Amino acid sequence: MSKSHLYVTRHLPDPVMTALTERFHLTQPPETAPPNRDTVLAGIRDAEALICTLAEQIDAPMLSKTSHLRVIANYAVGYNNIDLDAAQARNIIVTNTPDILTESTADLTWALLLATARRVPEGHSLVQHGAWTGWEPRQLLGADVFGRTLGIIGMGRIGQAVARRAAGFKMPVLYHSHTPKDFPNHSSWKSVGLDDVLAQADFLTLHVPLTADTRHLIGPRELQLMRPTAYLINVARGPVVDEAALVEAIQEGRLAGAGLDVYEHEPAIHPGLLALNHVVTLPHLGSATHATRIRMGMVCLENVVAVMEGRPAPNRVA
Ligand code: DGY
């Protein structure tokens, strides 16, 4: 039986590549770095299925160049990189990878929060550069985390997983969710308005998808409402935060610092952020564990196979 044609834009973890090549003919070899537009166009031209990542913009002009494409499996839970309307207009099914990256992304949120509050990268760099001369009473003083108020914007799967971890730090949780949500089993979680969570959080973490409504959700007005001792943590999508406004707020001492895993113009980073000691920057590592990245690939495969076999895709978003 001849194999269906799949274009997978990036080299996914080895067990995933093995499973994909057993089942499909790859239209061209996957890239180890973000492919340019022409490469993607060449890859999808004859493909019946596409597995892409959040770094590839799959837009209407690109989809207009395909005639066989039946499914796009996005190797991410967020799918703001795909023009859903254009896909739907061409009867192309779009899928994502929900659930499986929830816990690894929540873990990374806490890693970033703690690293930012306790200045972990600065301490590491001091030791690594041989610049540590011994214990010093005022060296790299940071902020307490235990018992402080955790603010969460976006109380979906990842927001809830982050909130569950707050119990270990005895942190009350204030959350703001687009759709009203109640958590009767969690008495220390309280739903509040956006301005209240901004004004009361010591650590504010963002867990919303990127949509027209959430672009620059955190801008000058919102940053002005935050405490000067507060920290902003973003592991969602970069454009949710107005980066220039964030730099200004930290430079002017209106915000204590930020932990960022995502950026407005990835992989470019606002130079002001790189110049600030109280900003910890990671290269979009939310889901980056061996097990999670393999599982994400297998979920993409399951979705593609389902569509090829005429079954409903398990993780269809459009
Ligand atoms: C996602 O799945 O949306 C993440 O950002 C990828 O790590």
Side-chain angles (χ1 to χ4, degrees):
M1 198 177 91
S2 73
K3 290 177 172 178
S4 305
H5 285 54
L6 166 74
Y7 175 46
V8 53
T9 58
R10 308 295 288 275
H11 205 293
L12 302 180
D14 288 345
V16 181
M17 292 315 300
T18 305
L20 292 179
T21 46
E22 268 167 17
R23 179 72 173 69
F24 292 97
H25 166 77
L26 301 193
T27 57
Q28 61 186 33
E31 307 277 327
T32 49
N36 63 34
R37 196 174 168 85
D38 286 344
T39 306
V40 178
L41 278 169
I44 56 175
R45 192 175 302 119
D46 297 319
E48 293 155 274
L50 165 67
I51 298 180
C52 60
T53 76
L54 54 89
E56 291 95 44
Q57 294 299 320
I58 309 298
D59 53 24
M62 188 172 273
L63 291 177
S64 72
K65 301 279 190 291
T66 65
S67 42
H68 310 288
L69 199 60
R70 292 167 59 193
V71 55
I72 303 171
N74 207 35
Y75 185 75
V77 64
Y79 43 85
N80 52 286
N81 56 311
I82 299 171
D83 184 332
L84 294 190
D85 292 338
Q88 264 172 334
R90 299 185 155 268
N91 291 321
I92 300 169
I93 290 167
V94 180
T95 70
N96 71 342
T97 61
D99 299 318
I100 48 189
L101 47 74
T102 300
E103 304 302 339
S104 42
T105 305
D107 286 347
L108 189 94
T109 306
W110 278 94
L112 197 47
L113 187 158
L114 290 165
T116 308
R118 298 303 303 273
R119 307 178 68 177
V120 171
E122 287 173 85
H124 178 71
S125 163
L126 192 79
V127 174
Q128 284 244 314
H129 289 97
W132 187 42
T133 52
W135 192 86
E136 213 269 280
R138 294 166 306 155
Q139 191 166 55
L140 293 180
L141 304 184
D144 280 315
V145 174
F146 186 88
R148 298 298 158 103
T149 299
L150 178 66
I152 298 181
I153 299 183
M155 205 54 165
R157 287 177 289 251
I158 298 174
Q160 291 171 48
V162 168
R164 279 197 302 276
R165 285 156 174 75
F169 289 88
K170 290 227 180 322
M171 294 171 85
V173 173
L174 298 180
Y175 66 91
H176 176 69
S177 183
H178 181 61
T179 42
K181 284 188 178 135
D182 278 333
F183 301 98
N185 296 333
H186 294 281
S187 57
S188 60
W189 301 3
K190 190 170 162 213
S191 169
V192 294
L194 177 64
D195 288 2
D196 289 324
V197 73
L198 290 165
Q200 292 176 49
D202 293 306
F203 296 92
L204 181 70
T205 72
L206 308 177
H207 304 286
V208 292
L210 176 61
T211 63
D213 290 340
T214 62
R215 188 172 291 273
H216 282 195
L217 178 70
I218 305 297
R221 186 195 81 89
E222 290 72 26
L223 291 163
Q224 195 65 50
L225 288 173
M226 291 181 71
R227 296 177 171 183
T229 49
Y231 292 82
L232 177 70
I233 310 296
N234 189 9
V235 295
R237 283 292 183 266
V240 172
V241 176
D242 178 339
E243 256 174 32
L246 176 64
V247 169
E248 231 175 81
I250 301 173
Q251 277 171 345
E252 291 172 6
R254 290 184 280 111
L255 193 71
L260 305 172
D261 188 39
V262 290
Y263 306 91
E264 207 173 335
H265 305 288
E266 262 173 50
I269 302 187
H270 191 298
L273 290 173
L274 298 174
L276 289 164
N277 274 346
H278 298 288
V279 176
V280 176
T281 49
L282 295 181
H284 205 145
L285 293 179
S287 61
T289 70
H290 292 290
T292 297
R293 289 281 168 89
I294 291 171
R295 188 74 196 113
M296 286 165 69
M298 295 306 185
V299 165
C300 289
L301 173 62
E302 281 158 29
N303 279 285
V304 168
V305 169
V307 174
M308 291 299 135
E309 292 178 351
R311 291 182 283 113
N315 305 106
R316 183 172 182 165
V317 294

